[in-house]
Amino acid sequence: MTIHQPRYSKEEFAQIGDQIYETQIRSKIETDNQGKIVAIDIETGDFEIDVSEIAACDRLESRHPDAQIWMVRIGSRYVRRFGGRNKISI
């Protein structure tokens, strides 16, 4: 197993990943892929979509072995949620 070393600060990594998603990818894929994961190589702009984070990353890494991968859940601000949800009854 290859251990990838980050080449960017966390802030820069997130900024580049979000910018690529918003400007190059989102409008092409969002309609038919709600809830799926998009894995983006922030250095090439190449990406993969899947319901599984691992499958998307594995396919992307098969083409770009040293990929710097940023993930986005399509149609959501978060890849995962932690904790419970409060339901408000009216």
Side-chain angles (χ1 to χ4, degrees):
M1 175 183 212
T2 303
I3 298 175
H4 298 283
Q5 296 300 316
R7 294 188 284 272
Y8 305 91
S9 70
K10 291 177 184 179
E11 294 80 13
E12 188 178 22
F13 199 92
Q15 183 180 21
I16 294 168
D18 284 340
Q19 182 180 24
I20 291 170
Y21 178 70
E22 291 297 330
T23 61
Q24 299 174 28
I25 299 172
R26 183 179 179 186
S27 63
K28 297 175 188 174
I29 65 168
E30 194 168 54
T31 304
D32 298 328
N33 295 293
Q34 290 292 313
K36 293 182 182 177
I37 296 292
V38 59
I40 305 164
D41 178 0
I42 66 167
E43 294 185 324
T44 65
D46 199 8
F47 65 93
E48 281 290 337
I49 301 168
D50 203 286
V51 294
S52 164
E53 297 169 33
I54 294 171
C57 290
D58 284 350
R59 286 198 310 272
L60 188 56
E61 285 180 323
S62 72
R63 292 195 315 272
H64 304 284
D66 201 27
Q68 297 290 296
I69 300 175
W70 178 251
M71 289 187 291
V72 176
R73 182 171 301 279
I74 301 168
S76 176
R77 291 179 35 193
Y78 309 102
V79 173
R80 291 194 191 106
R81 286 182 61 98
F82 294 96
R85 274 186 170 174
N86 291 332
K87 291 186 178 182
I88 299 174
S89 299
I90 298 179

